[in-house]
Amino acid sequence: MQVSIETTTGLERRLTVGVPAEQVDSEVENRLKQAAKTVHLNGFRKGKVPLKVVKQRFGAGVRQEVLGEVMSRSFYEAVQQEGVNPAGQPAIEPKEMGEGKDIEFVATFEVYPEIELADVSGIEVNKPVAEVTDKDIANMIETLQKQQGTFKNVRRKAVKENRLNIDYVGTKDGEEFEGGKAEGQELVLGSNSMIPGFEDGLIGAKKGEEVVLDLTFPEDYHSEELKGAAVQFTVKVNQVAAIELPELDEEFFKKYGVEEGGEEKFREEVRNNMERELKNAAKNKIKTQVMDGLLNANSVDVPKALVASEIDALRGQMMQQFGGAAENMDLKSILPDDMFTEQAERRVSLGLIVGELVKKEELKVDADAVKAMVEEMASTYQDPEEVVNYYYSNRELLAGVESAVLEDQVVDHILDKAKVEEVKSEYEDVIKPEAQA
């Protein structure tokens, strides 16, 4: 087998492979002989079909099959011989495939980049330090009550968190605009479901009143016609309703899984859940800073094939939200590649950097940490032991936990060397999601 390789651009490589004709022709001959022993053709007994006839009927198909296998096998032998590491599948272009002639094909593919890891001691991390206070618990319980609350009509001025039933008409330069009209719409003040100023402008309104709001659409509004546009809404308030909170009683506690122990047990469960949430949120904030630091410290060329594969994975995750309806959608039109490109490039870059760090530092998955993570996840279920056994009997699920643990070990490894500053924080600030770009 003859092999030559050249660098085209960046990570792309062009591999030319030559395979002796005898290697293909002999394999084709052997397969045709085997086929002659079992093939059924009219006019011939089984196993008595002349090889010449078998070759006439099946020779072209068998040769194509053998060529495909030989090119695939030769490609992987060639990259091993040349010591290159392909990223993604190659594009194979046949050059000479004629019978009796040496085979030649060209494979174009990308390779994994070589990564020289930068010193991580310069990475700066703010470590949030917070605790769950009695006030935080009280706020959480009130939130849970609101989730189970019921709205009752009131005859007074509307305040924040009241639910209004409204009709409205929006105009721009005196003309109604598309999507700016509704009747009988329910709106909770403070929900931020309308453009800025709309909900604030209805605070203090009463049933039966008509309110005129002079507003401006945001510059990043999705409609080109309305971006930054000055508009006027005429709003009629049909009804004002205030939420009534349920009592903290046995019936309420049962809705959140507390069958016994009353309010004391309920508050204990709320605290435990909040502390678990706080721990995970702080951990994620730290991890995000570490990963951002890794990306900023290490410049990596990412193979386009890996980015394309990651884009498909991200699109697939979003597709699941559409359920069965996705089958009839042109998803590449609705969810184009550029929606996911930045996130995909980040994931691929981090994957390459973290993989190199794991290899360089010879990090191994800590079995005790895996067990602890599985037990922590299982603790939220009614029968934790059953959940633990299920994880350890499912290799795919356990592999996911092992991957998460190894990532945690990478973060810990970097934190040992990075500049870490503890920052006193409030519970609400720590659990608040990071702003999305």
Side-chain angles (χ1 to χ4, degrees), residues 252-280:
F252 179 80
F253 302 147
K254 285 179 181 179
K255 290 179 180 178
Y256 293 96
V258 177
E259 300 285 342
E260 298 177 351
E263 185 171 344
E264 182 180 350
K265 180 64 176 177
F266 173 70
R267 288 182 178 275
E268 180 185 333
E269 287 297 313
V270 169
R271 177 182 287 277
N272 290 341
N273 287 333
M274 292 176 70
E275 288 178 343
R276 190 181 300 112
E277 183 181 24
L278 178 63
K279 175 186 172 184
N280 290 333

Side-chain angles (χ1 to χ4, degrees), residues 50 92 100 114 118 128 155 174 224 234 257 285 298 304 308 322 339 410:
I92 293 181
E114 293 184 7
R155 290 188 171 276
E224 287 294 332
T234 301
K285 276 181 163 51
N298 296 277
K304 295 175 184 175
F322 293 107
M339 277 185 64
V410 169

Side-chain angles (χ1 to χ4, degrees), residues 58-74:
F58 306 107
V62 169
R63 182 174 177 79
Q64 283 300 115
E65 181 181 282
V66 170
L67 282 171
E69 293 176 5
V70 167
M71 285 192 292
S72 178
R73 184 170 62 245
S74 300

Side-chain angles (χ1 to χ4, degrees), residues 140 274 277-278 281-282 285 426-433:
M140 178 59 70
M274 292 176 70
E277 183 181 24
L278 178 63
K285 276 181 163 51
E426 300 294 329
Y427 168 82
E428 289 291 343
D429 293 331
V430 177
I431 66 166
K432 190 182 298 179

Side-chain angles (χ1 to χ4, degrees), residues 326-335:
E327 296 177 6
N328 302 317
M329 293 181 180
D330 179 6
L331 291 168
K332 283 221 171 187
S333 173
I334 299 172
L335 306 173

Side-chain angles (χ1 to χ4, degrees), residues 219-239:
E219 292 292 343
D220 60 352
Y221 194 68
H222 60 80
S223 168
E224 287 294 332
E225 179 192 355
L226 296 173
K227 281 183 178 179
V231 296
Q232 188 175 79
F233 283 96
T234 301
V235 185
K236 181 186 175 186
V237 179
N238 301 319
Q239 197 61 258

Side-chain angles (χ1 to χ4, degrees), residues 91-321:
I92 293 181
E93 180 187 359
K95 290 296 184 183
E96 178 57 71
M97 296 286 124
E99 189 172 350
K101 297 181 180 180
D102 288 350
I103 306 305
E104 184 179 272
F105 66 91
V106 174
T108 305
F109 57 96
E110 292 175 291
V111 295
Y112 283 91
E114 293 184 7
I115 301 174
E116 289 290 333
L117 291 174
D119 182 11
V120 298
S121 62
I123 294 177
E124 297 180 0
V125 177
N126 290 327
K127 181 180 179 181
V129 178
E131 61 181 23
V132 177
T133 65
D134 291 341
K135 182 181 177 182
D136 294 325
I137 294 173
N139 290 338
M140 178 59 70
I141 291 175
E142 185 178 357
T143 298
L144 297 177
Q145 286 177 288
K146 287 177 180 177
Q147 291 175 0
Q148 302 296 331
T150 55
F151 281 96
K152 300 291 185 181
N153 293 337
V154 295
R155 290 188 171 276
R156 58 165 171 74
K157 292 181 179 181
V159 297
K160 206 167 185 179
E161 296 188 348
N162 282 174
R163 188 181 71 190
L164 275 57
N165 182 285
I166 58 174
D167 304 333
Y168 62 83
V169 176
T171 57
K172 176 187 173 188
D173 299 327
E175 299 290 332
E176 291 185 23
F177 56 84
E178 186 178 353
K181 184 177 182 178
E183 293 182 357
Q185 179 169 319
E186 303 283 358
L187 174 65
V188 176
L189 300 184
S191 63
N192 296 321
S193 55
M194 304 295 280
I195 65 170
F198 192 102
E199 293 169 35
D200 288 343
L202 295 177
I203 291 176
K206 294 173 66 176
K207 176 182 177 180
E209 285 188 355
E210 188 171 272
V211 181
V212 177
L213 305 173
D214 291 308
L215 304 174
T216 302
F217 272 89
E219 292 292 343
D220 60 352
Y221 194 68
H222 60 80
S223 168
E224 287 294 332
E225 179 192 355
L226 296 173
K227 281 183 178 179
V231 296
Q232 188 175 79
F233 283 96
T234 301
V235 185
K236 181 186 175 186
V237 179
N238 301 319
Q239 197 61 258
V240 177
I243 193 168
E244 288 190 358
L245 303 182
E247 294 292 330
L248 293 177
D249 54 20
E250 299 298 327
E251 182 182 351
F252 179 80
F253 302 147
K254 285 179 181 179
K255 290 179 180 178
Y256 293 96
V258 177
E259 300 285 342
E260 298 177 351
E263 185 171 344
E264 182 180 350
K265 180 64 176 177
F266 173 70
R267 288 182 178 275
E268 180 185 333
E269 287 297 313
V270 169
R271 177 182 287 277
N272 290 341
N273 287 333
M274 292 176 70
E275 288 178 343
R276 190 181 300 112
E277 183 181 24
L278 178 63
K279 175 186 172 184
N280 290 333
K283 176 180 170 183
N284 288 333
K285 276 181 163 51
I286 292 169
K287 178 181 171 183
T288 298
Q289 294 177 71
V290 167
M291 293 304 171
D292 286 345
L294 274 179
L295 277 178
N296 292 334
N298 296 277
S299 178
V300 180
D301 289 332
V302 291
K304 295 175 184 175
L306 298 186
V307 174
S309 177
E310 191 64 38
I311 287 173
D312 286 340
L314 289 168
R315 184 186 288 113
Q317 291 171 15
M318 192 168 284
M319 277 173 55
Q320 294 175 3
Q321 299 176 18

